[in-house]
Amino acid sequence: MFVDFSYEPLIEDFYENGDLKLETIFKILENSGNRHSDLAGDHILQGSSSGTAWILTDWYVEIETYPKYGDKISAKTWSQGATSPFGSSRDFELYCNGTICAKGTTRWVLFDLNANRPTKIQAPLIEKYGPEQKSVFAESKLPKITAPQSFSNEVSVTPRRNDIDFNHHVHNLVYIDYAMEALPPEIYRAHNFTKIRITYKSAVKEGEAITAKYAEENGAHTICIYGADDSLKTLLAFS
């Protein structure tokens, strides 16, 4: 099942140069996936309230061109079905005026919230999504991202109440905001990232103090987000 999703951007969705913000691109892709879940009858909020939830573990997005203010923006998404007994994947295409301008993929794990562990995906659940065999990337294995040995900058962050989602932890896209705070000013102002890789290790809860640490390594701008106990929460790489 391929699902089309149209998005009408708001003025706050753009940088001052008229490019669509990176965070907004991710928001569009994410919400197209939510639309698919609704159409499949696997409603996100209902699932969480019943004790199970799809937990996002990875993003990889490549951007060819950033849509501009006034462009017509839409997305297409589909599920590739179960990739393991506990995991699934979802692919995306972003369109600007009818032409693909970005593509991405995600990895998910079905989680038992009460037992606090992954749970097996049952065939009827996957069948609801109408899995497709199409993949946006020829290589199924995602680019590897590792924590640098040292960092050149770091910022302390206290999650706001509004950063917490319905699963009672920091929403996955908010980590991009935290990463932006750690980037050097000249890198942040350039807004020219074409490859974005994110891996989520463990969730940040409400009121938990975190630190975003930055390093440039092998041409990539890597940000690692650590908890107060120095546990690694999330890795993000922009290039």
Side-chain angles (χ1 to χ4, degrees):
M1 180 194 303
F2 294 101
V3 175
D4 295 314
F5 180 79
S6 296
Y7 183 76
E8 293 290 338
L10 306 172
I11 190 64
E12 60 264 30
D13 289 328
F14 296 91
Y15 298 119
E16 60 183 353
N17 67 353
D19 285 353
L20 193 69
K21 287 183 176 180
L22 179 65
E23 299 93 317
T24 302
I25 290 175
F26 275 78
K27 181 173 68 174
I28 294 169
L29 301 183
E30 177 186 64
N31 281 286
S32 70
N34 292 341
R35 173 70 58 81
H36 190 182
S37 293
D38 288 343
L39 292 174
D42 184 25
H43 304 289
I44 301 299
L45 292 177
Q46 290 180 8
S48 294
S49 63
S50 67
T52 58
W54 288 104
I55 301 299
L56 179 63
T57 63
D58 294 275
W59 273 103
Y60 180 57
V61 172
E62 292 185 357
I63 301 172
E64 183 174 340
T65 58
Y66 282 76
K68 291 282 192 178
Y69 183 76
D71 287 341
K72 184 177 181 181
I73 301 169
S74 63
K76 182 187 294 290
T77 188
W78 61 96
S79 170
Q80 292 187 7
T83 54
S84 74
F86 307 102
S88 181
S89 64
R90 169 177 296 283
D91 279 11
F92 307 88
E93 293 172 341
L94 185 71
Y95 290 81
C96 174
N97 300 321
T99 300
I100 294 177
C101 61
K103 57 186 179 181
T105 189
T106 48
R107 301 291 184 266
W108 301 80
V109 170
L110 189 63
F111 211 75
D112 184 323
L113 299 175
N114 297 318
N116 195 34
R117 64 187 181 190
T119 186
K120 285 188 177 181
I121 303 171
Q122 301 301 317
L125 175 59
I126 286 296
E127 290 169 2
K128 289 182 177 181
Y129 284 90
E132 303 287 350
Q133 297 303 310
K134 179 179 178 180
S135 176
V136 295
F137 299 117
E139 177 59 57
S140 61
K141 189 175 181 179
L142 299 182
K144 187 176 181 180
I145 175 173
T146 57
Q149 294 298 310
S150 61
F151 300 90
S152 60
N153 186 45
E154 65 178 65
V155 295
S156 297
V157 179
T158 300
R160 303 164 299 175
R161 291 175 179 174
N162 205 42
D163 294 342
I164 307 301
D165 66 13
F166 54 87
N167 283 323
H168 308 293
H169 55 65
V170 169
H171 187 64
N172 73 83
L173 298 188
V174 177
Y175 292 93
I176 299 177
D177 295 336
Y178 298 161
M180 293 298 172
E181 294 299 315
L183 289 173
E186 66 277 10
I187 302 301
Y188 171 75
R189 287 194 296 266
H191 301 314
N192 59 357
F193 302 122
T194 59
K195 296 180 180 180
I196 302 92
R197 178 79 171 89
I198 307 174
T199 293
Y200 303 96
K201 294 293 187 180
S202 63
V204 174
K205 304 294 181 63
E206 184 175 5
E208 184 176 359
I210 57 176
T211 303
K213 299 183 179 183
Y214 165 84
E216 183 177 2
E217 197 171 72
N218 300 322
H221 304 280
T222 301
I223 299 92
C224 295
I225 297 176
Y226 293 90
D229 59 355
D230 289 330
S231 61
L232 182 57
K233 300 292 186 177
T234 300
L235 300 94
L236 307 93
F238 305 95
S239 59

